[in-house]
Amino acid sequence: MSLFRQYLAQRLLASAVTLLGVSVIVFLMVRVLPGDPAQVLAGLLASEEEVARLRTDLGLDRPFHVQYAVFLERLLHGNLGRSARTSQPVLEELKPRLRATLTLAVVSAALATAAGMTAGALAATRPYSRFDYVLSLATLFGVSMPTYWLGLMLIIIFAVHLNWLPAAGSEGLASLILPSLTLAAFSVALIARMTRATMLEVLGQEYVRTARAKGLGESLVVARHALRNALVPVLTVIGLQFGALLGGAVLTESVFGWPGMGLLLIDSIFSRDYAMVQGIVLVFSTLFILTNLVVDLLYVAIDPRIRYA
Amino acid sequence: MRTHRTRRFLSPLGLAALAALMIAIGAGPAGAAGTFRVAVGVDLDTVDPAQMTTTTVANMVDYVAETLTSLGPDGKVSPWLAESWTVSPDGLIYTLKLRKGVTFHDGTPFDAKAVKWNFDRLKDTQVRVPIRAPFPIKETDVVDPSTVKVTLTKPSAPFIAALSWTTSALVSPASIDKQGNEYKNIVHTVGTGPYVFKERKKGESFTVTLNDKYWGKKPTYDTVVFRIVPEAATRESLILAGQVDLIVLPPIADLPALQRNSALKVLLAPSDRTIFISLNTTKSPLGDVKVRQALNYAVDKKAIIQNVLFGAADEMDAPMAPSLFGYCKAGNYDYNPDKAKQLLTEAGVKPGTKISFHHPTGRYVQDKEASQAVAGYLREVGIEPELQTMDWPTYVSIINAGPAEKTVHQLAYLGWAPAFLDSAMQAFQFWSGYHPPAGLATSFYKNPSVDELILAAEKETNADKRKALYCDMAKQVWSDAPWLFLYVQRFPIVYSAKVADVGSLPNEKFAAIYARPTN
């Protein structure tokens, strides 16, 4: 167990180093972008003095390394600075946005996992059947459909023509349905394909034949022996997909006016709100790193052959 | 019937359960009675009037906070929280009589002291006030509870008009340090308006409720909800589904279809936003007036308005919008490619001459598409435009790079919309004191007689004389052609036919405070 703890400590340390690297890159990246935040913020009608005052106010007149030192020092105290656009602490602005994005991503991931694995497993047990072909076609659609287009189509069908669901916003459960379906579409398809492929491979293994030979029912063979062994690669895809879901949230959120971090990120980039962009990218990176860590730990739970020690 | 259809549609995805849930929730998203629902494209960056930069945000804050004067749908400025005023002969001292019996939402009386506090804040450089320039306030004195005397640092004839713009809207001095407010940053606006600030969900909505104690005519709806929906196509879906009552800026290509829809009304509101291509007069061959006029003749503005803007614009016939004080028709550059070619030949511009053409994307209605159309017309007269598309912050940094020798742009697609309807702010664009980096007169146009007219108009307190000065300026600028004059944009507003009394103000605001159901 202590070996496991050591492994965990190593991983966490490596994560911290990665985040430090991310902080440097994002800090430089926003500043390399052309455009003066003070000018953008003040608007076209502002006078030169107002713009200059704003620049000083935001600390943009200081050299890069001083700005980074300030940023890093604050970061170590858990302070992400203040948004230039809203004058509010970035952390305060981020909390409700993070909640919204996570809600969307988690619901979509759950949806994608349940639907994707079920469909994939079913297809694997009936390879080259009609169901299998339909599924291949559906997953092809799923991976190639642009999020933006799919989102608008769902809005037109379910909000405009049927008037069953809200077209935008985040009031109540109903408003979660269309954005999470849109966001899940790509991952469902990918997870279904991955599950089908690994399941097909596993179903051809000798231990599966043994299980069948000893008289186990087909459903038990699939659920207990095949699916479990097929889970490791599928889990990897799900883990990676969760990261992709967070990224995909940027488009989905803007189509559905979902008040999450993706939407905020776009607004912040277009207004060159450095502190906000840095904060969002750091939060996204942290989530990504944590997801990977959790996936690695889950391997142990699923496959007793994997040991981190 | 419904369940059956749903199952057929969704079960291949294994989502029948979800469909059932969807019906169970019964998302019939009709608004509660008495709620007026609006969808706008931009989130509120601030609710602090002093920090205002965006018209649509100002439009929402106007429900809560009011100004001393008011802009009407006809573009006229009339008394509002100030009932009358006098101006000293030197144009420096404004004495304003305030409306009596008005209170802020927190019960604080609206009086001279409150105005002084707000104006002191407006001139305090500790507070971020991007549009401070139209308010050159030196000091504000309380004469009696309903009279204030405002002394300016310099004569400013459009001051009364400027007082109708949201930057100078009045908030309760007692509201500072409450509900998260700080002196430097107000996050919960407490004004005197017909609606009271109720709730703001960032990135999502802004809700206001009726002010029972409002001093003026009371609106019909109890609640107004502004929803933030950045995607134009989604806003359009919301109004088509009846889930909101009013939207601004639908997808422009859908205007004809929306106009045919009998459940909706489309308002193509005249605005003060001139859209033009700034011609950098310091870069050859644009220093030659013949070349600049040639470019104006080369482009078929009418065709672009019809085919690219779907009618949501009017051809410019002066360097300012017709809604501005001081406007007078200056002329027309009717589409005439032959004349354009002839002028270019006279100026010695060889066919195939390359000219850089910068334009932003996503900033103005159909900006990229219109720029491409313009480039096409220029090619037809032998100019080779090198189109450079960029996002707004990058674009601004290019056109505002500094003094003329540091700039690289030749043609630059830009929009200009004065915050209040007076030619003063439009004239900046033709004044040599406003060349970058001091301002955004990106054509670097300099004509001493135009400079003189502009400065004289700024000081002139006699309205008729001011008007004449701007008219002279307009005609001179028109023939000097520092811009490729395109059009005055219209501001499309779409609202439900079940709603009446929705109008617009000529500065890209909707006027829907007194909206009411039609029946």
Side-chain angles (χ1 to χ4, degrees):
Chain A
M1 204 55 205
S2 73
L3 275 174
F4 177 72
R5 260 184 221 164
Q6 201 183 336
Y7 167 76
L8 199 62
Q10 271 174 5
R11 282 295 300 264
L12 287 173
L13 188 70
S15 304
V17 174
T18 312
L19 278 177
L20 189 71
V22 170
S23 80
V24 177
I25 292 170
V26 65
F27 178 87
L28 288 177
M29 227 156 52
V30 289
R31 279 163 181 79
V32 165
L33 279 180
D36 174 2
Q39 173 78 62
V40 175
L41 203 59
L44 293 188
L45 301 178
S47 68
E48 194 188 3
E49 300 93 76
E50 294 308 326
V51 175
R53 198 143 40 217
L54 199 54
R55 205 172 288 132
T56 316
D57 221 36
L58 298 171
L60 297 169
D61 51 348
R62 288 186 273 184
F64 272 15
H65 64 274
V66 177
Q67 291 186 43
Y68 182 71
V70 172
F71 165 61
L72 197 63
E73 203 232 314
R74 282 193 188 140
L75 191 62
L76 293 176
H77 292 94
N79 178 354
L80 290 170
R82 271 175 187 264
S83 155
R85 203 161 61 99
T86 67
S87 308
Q88 297 293 301
V90 168
L91 214 55
E92 290 308 307
E93 295 271 351
L94 277 186
K95 276 181 200 159
R97 303 303 190 108
L98 180 61
R99 207 173 305 133
T101 293
L102 278 182
T103 307
L104 190 56
V106 168
V107 170
S108 303
L111 211 63
T113 307
M117 284 182 59
T118 312
L122 286 177
T125 52
R126 308 164 177 73
Y128 313 109
S129 66
R130 192 181 291 176
F131 177 79
D132 192 20
Y133 284 123
V134 170
L135 185 82
S136 313
L137 205 64
T139 54
L140 189 67
F141 268 118
V143 290
S144 46
M145 221 157 12
T147 307
Y148 178 83
W149 182 84
L150 177 64
L152 284 179
M153 281 303 131
L154 289 177
I155 290 177
I156 289 170
I157 296 169
F158 291 101
V160 178
H161 287 293
L162 299 172
N163 211 356
W164 290 351
L165 292 169
S170 71
E171 292 286 320
L173 261 179
S175 62
L176 188 58
I177 297 174
L178 293 185
S180 55
L181 280 181
T182 307
L183 191 54
F186 180 83
S187 306
V188 172
L190 213 65
I191 292 170
R193 293 192 145 203
M194 194 67 194
T195 310
R196 179 185 175 276
T198 26
M199 280 283 283
L200 268 183
E201 199 188 310
V202 169
L203 284 171
Q205 297 283 328
E206 288 185 354
Y207 59 82
V208 172
R209 206 184 331 153
T210 311
R212 283 195 184 122
K214 74 179 179 186
L216 270 187
E218 187 62 20
S219 55
L220 264 179
V221 172
V222 171
R224 195 184 292 166
H225 293 271
L227 197 58
R228 184 161 179 169
N229 279 293
L231 218 51
V232 169
V234 172
L235 196 65
T236 312
V237 172
I238 294 172
L240 288 174
Q241 276 308 297
F242 190 72
L245 284 178
L246 290 173
V250 174
L251 267 181
T252 313
E253 284 173 7
S254 82
V255 172
F256 289 97
W258 185 266
M261 285 205 299
L263 200 53
L264 187 62
L265 181 62
I266 295 181
D267 278 352
S268 306
I269 290 174
F270 282 128
S271 57
R272 298 290 189 269
D273 190 342
Y274 292 167
M276 194 66 104
V277 175
Q278 284 162 188
I280 296 171
V281 173
L282 277 177
V283 170
F284 269 136
S285 311
T286 309
L287 284 175
F288 205 89
I289 290 170
L290 281 181
T291 312
N292 277 320
L293 187 59
V294 169
V295 168
D296 283 353
L297 296 180
L298 277 179
Y299 289 158
V300 188
I302 293 167
D303 190 340
R305 287 168 303 186
I306 299 175
R307 282 280 166 268
Y308 296 120
Chain B
M1 190 60 201
R2 269 189 171 183
T3 330
H4 177 67
R5 235 186 334 172
T6 312
R7 194 164 290 150
R8 253 183 37 206
F9 195 70
L10 288 173
S11 59
L13 288 169
L15 295 170
L18 200 64
L21 174 73
M22 185 159 92
I23 293 161
I25 298 165
T35 300
F36 188 65
R37 302 155 303 168
V38 179
V40 298
V42 291
D43 193 11
L44 302 94
D45 49 350
T46 179
V47 291
D48 185 346
Q51 299 192 48
M52 211 48 63
T53 57
T54 312
T55 311
T56 299
V57 177
N59 206 164
M60 297 184 262
V61 172
D62 286 346
Y63 278 68
V64 176
E66 296 180 296
T67 41
L68 290 180
T69 63
S70 150
L71 176 74
D74 55 357
K76 295 247 172 4
V77 172
S78 49
W80 201 250
L81 288 181
E83 285 184 316
S84 63
W85 49 83
T86 54
V87 190
S88 66
D90 61 2
L92 280 174
I93 299 170
Y94 284 73
T95 309
L96 299 120
K97 284 274 177 202
L98 307 177
R99 185 176 290 278
K100 287 176 193 160
V102 176
T103 53
F104 289 102
H105 300 151
D106 62 359
T108 309
F110 163 78
D111 57 13
K113 263 198 318 207
V115 174
K116 176 178 166 51
W117 184 86
N118 273 278
F119 281 11
D120 286 350
R121 182 169 180 266
L122 200 57
K123 68 167 190 173
D124 186 349
T125 52
Q126 292 292 305
V127 182
R128 189 193 287 180
V129 185
I131 308 182
R132 203 191 311 260
F135 308 97
I137 298 169
K138 190 173 167 202
E139 59 181 334
T140 309
D141 296 301
V142 174
V143 178
D144 63 54
S146 62
T147 313
V148 279
K149 195 178 86 182
V150 183
T151 310
L152 303 185
T153 55
K154 56 171 188 179
S156 173
F159 183 63
I160 288 295
L163 289 178
S164 71
W165 171 246
T166 313
T167 298
S168 66
L170 300 136
V171 297
S172 164
S175 70
I176 296 306
D177 302 326
K178 285 179 198 143
Q179 291 167 300
N181 283 344
E182 299 164 32
Y183 171 71
K184 284 171 74 172
N185 188 29
I186 289 171
V187 296
H188 188 108
T189 327
V190 179
T192 59
Y195 284 93
V196 180
F197 187 120
K198 186 180 172 218
E199 191 187 17
R200 180 175 168 210
K201 291 186 188 158
K202 288 189 178 176
E204 187 177 0
S205 63
F206 176 52
T207 308
V208 295
T209 52
L210 197 63
N211 172 12
D212 292 328
K213 299 190 184 106
Y214 185 53
W215 60 269
K217 183 186 162 195
K218 284 199 186 60
T220 307
Y221 289 101
D222 294 333
T223 307
V224 179
V225 181
F226 300 98
R227 295 176 56 183
I228 319 302
V229 184
E231 184 55 51
T234 310
R235 287 198 297 279
E236 184 184 27
S237 295
L238 280 168
I239 191 97
L240 286 171
Q243 294 177 7
V244 297
D245 307 299
L246 182 150
I247 65 165
V248 299
L249 294 172
I252 209 81
D254 291 351
L255 277 178
L258 292 168
Q259 281 161 330
R260 285 193 300 269
N261 189 331
S262 60
L264 301 175
K265 288 189 177 162
V266 177
L267 208 59
L268 291 180
S271 111
D272 60 341
R273 188 177 298 279
T274 44
I275 302 283
F276 53 90
I277 293 166
S278 170
L279 308 174
N280 188 341
T281 57
T282 65
K283 303 280 171 199
S284 169
L286 299 168
D288 189 334
V289 64
K290 278 186 182 167
V291 177
R292 301 197 299 265
Q293 288 176 341
L295 298 187
N296 271 286
Y297 284 117
V299 177
D300 189 348
K301 277 81 70 178
K302 288 192 178 72
I304 294 179
I305 290 170
Q306 202 53 47
N307 303 321
V308 180
L309 281 111
F310 299 90
D314 303 289
E315 195 176 348
M316 277 174 87
D317 58 6
M320 72 279 271
S323 53
L324 298 194
F325 174 90
Y327 159 86
C328 74
K329 185 174 152 73
N332 280 110
Y333 285 102
D334 286 326
Y335 178 51
N336 190 341
D338 294 333
K339 191 162 184 183
K341 279 185 211 160
Q342 185 201 331
L343 283 166
L344 287 172
T345 314
E346 284 173 29
V349 176
K350 294 193 182 69
T353 299
K354 289 191 173 128
I355 292 189
S356 78
F357 183 174
H358 290 77
H359 69 89
T361 174
R363 177 72 184 187
Y364 306 109
V365 174
Q366 301 286 83
D367 44 14
K368 186 173 156 211
E369 294 77 4
S371 296
Q372 283 167 345
V374 169
Y377 283 112
L378 296 184
R379 266 180 220 115
E380 278 174 29
V381 297
I383 300 277
E384 196 44 58
E386 296 176 310
L387 274 181
Q388 310 210 33
T389 310
M390 36 196 65
D391 79 320
W392 179 245
T394 311
Y395 177 75
V396 173
S397 73
I398 296 269
I399 60 167
N400 194 26
E405 57 276 15
K406 280 198 188 167
T407 54
V408 293
H409 70 271
Q410 288 181 290
L411 309 190
Y413 186 97
L414 196 61
W416 194 254
F420 51 92
L421 300 176
D422 191 286
S423 291
M425 224 180 224
Q426 184 81 8
F428 280 171
Q429 278 287 335
F430 311 112
W431 179 45
S432 64
Y434 204 62
H435 290 174
L440 269 173
T442 51
S443 63
F444 294 95
Y445 165 67
K446 186 173 170 70
N447 181 335
S449 69
V450 167
D451 279 352
E452 252 172 60
L453 287 168
I454 291 170
L455 291 179
E458 179 99 4
K459 290 196 193 93
E460 182 58 62
T461 47
N462 178 303
D464 290 336
K465 285 186 193 160
R466 263 188 92 222
K467 215 169 194 167
L469 289 166
Y470 281 129
C471 190
D472 287 350
M473 176 210 79
K475 285 177 177 153
Q476 186 61 50
V477 168
W478 190 260
S479 66
D480 285 346
W483 290 355
L484 198 175
F485 302 102
L486 292 174
Y487 35 77
V488 184
Q489 198 171 291
R490 282 179 178 249
F491 187 65
I493 299 167
V494 184
Y495 61 99
S496 163
K498 292 180 188 152
V499 175
D501 290 349
V502 172
S504 64
L505 298 181
N507 59 350
E508 302 195 337
K509 285 181 177 177
F510 46 86
I513 288 183
Y514 293 105
R516 57 175 178 83
T518 39
N519 43 27

